[in-house]
Amino acid sequence: MTRETSRTIAEWATTAFGPARAEALVARAATEMDELRESLSQGDFDSIASEAADVAILLHRIAHDHGHDLSDAVDAKMARNRLRRWEPSGDGTGRHVAEPAVAASAAPAVSGAKSAPVETGEARLGDVLFDAKRISIRVRELAAAIERDLEGDILIVGVLKGAGFFTSDLARALRNPAHLAFVGVSSYGMNGSARGEPRLTSDVDVPVAGRKILLVEDLVDTGGTLSRLVDTFRQRGAADIRTAVLLDLVQSRPNRRLTPDYVGFETSATWVSGYGIDYKEKYRNLPDIHEVVLPSKA
Ligand SMILES: O=P(O)(O)OC[C@H]1O[C@H](OP(=O)(O)OP(=O)(O)O)[C@H](O)[C@@H]1O
Ligand code: HPA
């Protein structure tokens, strides 16, 4: 049997019925919902799945017409639901009461131009800014742009840990015969507290002289990490160095040390997490990128 997606459903429906306005689809979904309610009240349990499918088919079409896939949206929403705290209403449904809170007391002190705020209250995971689907589309677009500029053999260098997922997705979207390496960079002092000059904590395992290098970062804030790496590889004789970042934290632009060559998304968020990016080492595993809400800043 064909595994239907929002796209295949929308294509079929448009061929069968012609283009539709979203309002008409919502009204039709409400009618199908009424039929589902009727099946339940009449005890017609055999038709329940089929009536529910009629509702879902309309929802798939609405999602596709607005650039989404409903199954992906359900996956993303469920990932979020599983992180929330819920208060049961007593009838088998419930309301979410608060986002998971993370204590801020252990926050490292932040210094200099780094935009990380020092919190006095509690931080929580906020809205999804860029979901997994959007990220994967954008990664492919970035790869296409990079391929147009950089031909042939390149050395892809991912910056750990934050850019781990972005580097592996971008590398797989690029068709260049690439070599892959990673570096570790830390901006924290030896005591793990103050944010200072970025230093290399682990190096690439290949020579870089004469190579075309694509440096891959999850985000650019002050630009300190990337500019440190560009300087390092330039001193070692790299032939060409390009920088690709998934997120540009636009608030930090005025004091930035470097402008990346390729940018996935711009965001005005102060702090973000997910898709490799952490909040105090947490949330790197989340498939979507969320805003982290820092309620009070000192
Ligand atoms: O533009 P900058 O001001 O240099 O900031 C960007 C860097 O900061 C974060 O890394 P972090 O040092 O937190 O390490 P991580 O990648 O292991 O999370 C982020 O992942 C970038 O690497
Ligand atoms: O928003 C951020 N998230 C994680 N690490 C960061 N480093 C600078 N800004 C950020």
Side-chain angles (χ1 to χ4, degrees), residues 53-85:
D54 286 340
V55 178
I57 286 165
L58 282 146
L59 299 182
H60 271 287
R61 191 176 179 194
I62 295 167
H64 179 268
D65 288 354
H66 292 82
H68 303 283
D69 180 273
L70 186 59
S71 305
D72 289 343
V74 169
D75 289 349
K77 196 64 198 283
M78 280 306 300
R80 180 116 192 264
N81 284 350
R82 287 181 202 286
L83 288 166
R84 284 175 152 167
R85 276 192 262 138

Side-chain angles (χ1 to χ4, degrees), residues 18-174:
R21 285 182 309 112
E23 294 78 11
L25 297 175
V26 170
R28 184 57 191 260
T31 307
E32 299 291 357
M33 201 70 182
D34 289 341
E35 289 178 15
L36 175 60
R37 192 180 294 118
E38 212 170 299
S39 295
L40 284 162
S41 66
Q42 290 176 355
D44 180 7
F45 300 127
D46 287 345
S47 64
I48 284 170
S50 156
E51 295 297 353
D54 286 340
V55 178
I57 286 165
L58 282 146
L59 299 182
H60 271 287
R61 191 176 179 194
I62 295 167
H64 179 268
D65 288 354
H66 292 82
H68 303 283
D69 180 273
L70 186 59
S71 305
D72 289 343
V74 169
D75 289 349
K77 196 64 198 283
M78 280 306 300
R80 180 116 192 264
N81 284 350
R82 287 181 202 286
L83 288 166
R84 284 175 152 167
R85 276 192 262 138
W86 296 88
E87 187 183 315
S89 309
D91 60 357
T93 70
R95 295 162 58 83
H96 79 266
V97 284
E99 299 286 351
V102 280
S105 53
V110 178
S111 69
K114 195 74 196 167
S115 66
V118 179
E119 311 107 57
T120 55
E122 288 209 318
R124 65 182 172 80
L125 201 61
D127 286 343
V128 171
L129 299 175
F130 307 102
D131 68 23
K133 181 85 186 177
R134 212 168 147 203
I135 295 169
S136 108
I137 292 169
R138 190 68 189 127
V139 167
R140 286 199 295 272
E141 288 170 354
L142 287 175
I146 294 165
E147 271 178 20
R148 280 194 293 274
D149 296 347
L150 285 179
E151 283 180 353
D153 184 18
I154 58 171
L155 173 62
I156 300 171
V157 179
V159 185
L160 294 174
K161 300 179 201 173
F165 296 157
F166 178 42
T167 307
S168 59
D169 287 344
L170 186 64
R172 284 177 295 170
L174 282 166

Side-chain angles (χ1 to χ4, degrees), residues 114 195 219 221 249 270-272 277-278:
K114 195 74 196 167
R195 183 118 205 178
L219 58 90
D221 186 6
L249 302 191
T270 306
W271 203 265
V272 297
I277 306 165
D278 71 315

Side-chain angles (χ1 to χ4, degrees), residues 113-115 159-164 183-188 195-196 198 216-227 229 245 249 252 256-257 271 276-279 281 284:
K114 195 74 196 167
S115 66
V159 185
L160 294 174
K161 300 179 201 173
V183 287
V185 179
S186 175
S187 302
Y188 292 97
R195 183 118 205 178
V216 184
E217 257 286 36
D218 51 346
L219 58 90
V220 60
D221 186 6
T222 65
T225 305
L226 274 179
S227 67
L229 289 169
V245 306
L249 302 191
S252 313
R256 189 163 293 160
R257 296 198 215 167
W271 203 265
I277 306 165
D278 71 315
Y279 177 74
E281 291 301 323
R284 290 195 199 272

